Amino acid sequence: MNRALFQKIIFAWFEKHGRVLPWRVKNHEDAQRMSGVRETLATYFTKAWRRDPYRVIVSELMLQQTQVDRVLPKFEHFIKRWPTVLDLSRAKLSEVMIEWQGLGYNRRARFLHEMAKRVVEKYNGVFPQTETELRTLPGIGEYTARAVLAFAYGQDIGVIDTNIKRIFARVELGVEANAIPISPKEFQSFIDFSVPKHHGDPWNQALMDFGALVCTAKSPKCDHCPAKTLCIAQRIAEEYRVKTYAEFLKTPHRNQQKKQSIPFEQTNRYFRGRIVDKLRESPIHMEELRMHMETNHGLSSRKKFGEIIESLVLDKLIYIRGSRASLD
Ligand code: SF4
């Protein structure tokens, strides 16, 4: 896929149609300054995207199992009552539990409260900036830690929520999210690779909105989708002479597609494994490696070979020096 074009399309769509959500305000001071002023998406693009990790975590924990519409008033109320992590650390757990009412899954309220105490006691009120440290905080798993790194610290990493997973599964692989034919690790590096440099935050926000409003789970708006020409799922639908992928999802063709799923020996995962196997024997010249993959494993596309090599290098599984590939 043409990544640069996909990024351009998604950002253009986001600037026009992205949602203005209270947790996208940079920090408490900005929120106060802008109180009563309608925030627009354009302002997000003109100021530093680094946001308060506390606001990111509160919103992410609230959104974990609850719809945006229900979270909106609760978030605003919660943040007004405890605007900083220090304020929350001083609250009583019972107060937080009461405030949480209506959001469900109360464990999240307890985690949030414990997390605030831990950040204040152990980190002097400043959130850590590594995934490993963030994940030691109560209630913070891989997804939330990565969300903090991208949204608050501006790191160029992909945040895989259900919307983003669905978009990439369809656009790049032509399947639904529950039929992704590569390993979660490969999928993660694939998503990380798609992030435009220095735009980790807006890129993930834009995709989340695109998945929530256009490439939705049950009724994607393929008819009006600006990424239609790049989408493999849409292309597959057209091959079956169905107008859009949205219609394709509802037809019996889809079951045919399921049966025709790619054999393992044609997946990137398989090819990656064979490349690493070959390098286990000894370092090798790149062209020799390509010919080995073509002759012995049927990988004839140079473009695909290049992409697989790139993903292995990104994952630090292989190294390229000059024209030779090796494992170290
Ligand atoms: S064409 Fe349809 S399936 Fe493809 S990205 Fe657009 S909305 Fe999603």
Side-chain angles (χ1 to χ4, degrees):
M1 184 183 60
N2 183 334
R3 273 207 183 92
L5 180 59
F6 184 56
Q7 290 163 352
K8 208 170 152 193
I9 288 172
I10 293 294
F11 275 142
W13 175 89
F14 184 55
E15 279 199 82
K16 242 177 153 178
H17 305 285
R19 296 171 295 181
V20 177
L21 299 168
W23 45 87
R24 287 182 176 164
V25 176
K26 199 170 151 197
N27 54 32
H28 178 54
E29 289 71 39
D30 261 24
Q32 284 189 321
R33 188 171 51 74
M34 291 183 345
S35 169
V37 179
R38 188 173 151 71
E39 174 77 301
T40 70
L41 263 295
T43 58
Y44 295 149
F45 283 97
T46 55
K47 66 187 180 193
W49 271 81
R50 310 248 162 134
R51 289 185 276 132
D52 181 356
Y54 171 65
R55 292 173 77 88
V56 171
I57 289 177
V58 172
S59 63
E60 288 302 334
L61 282 183
M62 285 186 173
L63 288 162
Q64 260 172 24
Q65 313 276 349
T66 314
Q67 298 289 322
V68 169
D69 289 354
R70 274 172 62 206
V71 168
L72 281 169
K74 297 302 281 183
F75 175 82
E76 300 209 72
H77 205 262
F78 193 99
I79 284 291
K80 209 170 178 184
R81 186 162 181 192
W82 298 297
T84 66
V85 70
L86 184 63
D87 296 320
L88 184 61
S89 74
R90 289 173 178 159
K92 283 188 188 158
L93 175 60
S94 57
E95 293 173 327
V96 181
M97 296 299 268
I98 292 167
E99 191 65 47
W100 199 263
Q101 199 172 9
L103 285 169
Y105 297 93
N106 294 317
R107 254 158 50 104
R108 291 178 293 164
R110 189 167 53 75
F111 283 148
L112 204 48
H113 185 249
E114 280 173 24
M115 183 266 318
K117 282 186 169 307
R118 182 89 59 87
V119 169
V120 169
E121 281 157 18
K122 189 169 174 195
Y123 297 100
N124 214 12
V126 180
F127 282 85
Q129 297 197 23
T130 66
E131 185 178 336
T132 315
E133 282 180 299
L134 282 165
R135 289 183 68 173
T136 63
L137 298 174
I140 310 290
E142 183 183 1
Y143 167 80
T144 312
R146 290 175 74 85
V148 171
L149 295 177
F151 305 160
Y153 297 130
Q155 290 191 21
D156 288 341
I157 56 171
V159 180
I160 309 186
D161 76 340
T162 48
N163 284 327
I164 295 183
K165 192 171 180 185
R166 183 170 63 249
I167 295 168
F168 277 92
R170 288 174 176 172
V171 174
E172 290 259 23
L173 305 167
V175 296
E176 285 298 287
N178 59 3
I180 292 171
I182 54 179
S183 73
K185 196 171 168 235
E186 280 173 308
F187 192 65
Q188 179 70 66
S189 58
F190 181 62
I191 300 275
D192 286 344
F193 193 54
S194 77
V195 180
K197 226 174 172 195
H198 308 311
H199 285 78
D201 186 2
W203 175 242
N204 284 295
Q205 302 292 333
L207 286 172
M208 283 173 182
D209 281 10
F210 189 74
L213 303 174
V214 179
C215 196
T216 59
K218 289 196 180 128
S219 309
K221 318 277 182 298
C222 305
D223 262 335
H224 309 288
C225 173
K228 198 171 163 183
T229 53
L230 298 176
C231 178
I232 306 256
Q234 172 63 25
R235 223 174 289 160
I236 290 172
E238 285 165 11
E239 274 169 23
Y240 281 96
R241 298 184 191 284
V242 179
K243 201 171 144 235
T244 63
Y245 180 65
E247 283 175 32
F248 181 75
L249 275 175
K250 295 174 190 147
T251 68
H253 294 301
R254 194 168 161 230
N255 297 328
Q256 271 172 283
Q257 187 210 16
K258 269 190 198 157
K259 278 182 214 138
Q260 290 170 0
S261 63
I262 313 168
F264 178 62
E265 286 74 12
Q266 288 172 26
T267 60
N268 285 8
R269 188 173 169 192
Y270 173 79
F271 293 132
R272 280 165 60 102
R274 301 301 71 75
I275 288 172
V276 172
D277 281 351
K278 186 69 185 162
L279 295 184
R280 279 196 183 103
E281 292 169 22
S282 66
I284 186 172
H285 192 281
M286 284 292 284
E287 186 52 20
E288 215 178 314
L289 179 60
R290 194 198 64 72
M291 282 170 64
H292 164 79
M293 291 303 292
E294 182 170 351
T295 315
N296 298 296
H297 302 291
L299 177 57
S300 53
S301 160
R302 280 177 184 268
K303 189 168 170 269
K304 194 166 178 179
F305 174 76
E307 286 168 357
I308 294 168
I309 290 287
E310 207 170 334
S311 73
L312 286 165
V313 172
L314 270 174
D315 288 347
K316 296 195 171 70
L317 291 173
I318 70 168
Y319 293 85
I320 310 288
R321 287 190 188 81
S323 55
R324 292 181 80 74
S326 66
L327 290 181
D328 51 31

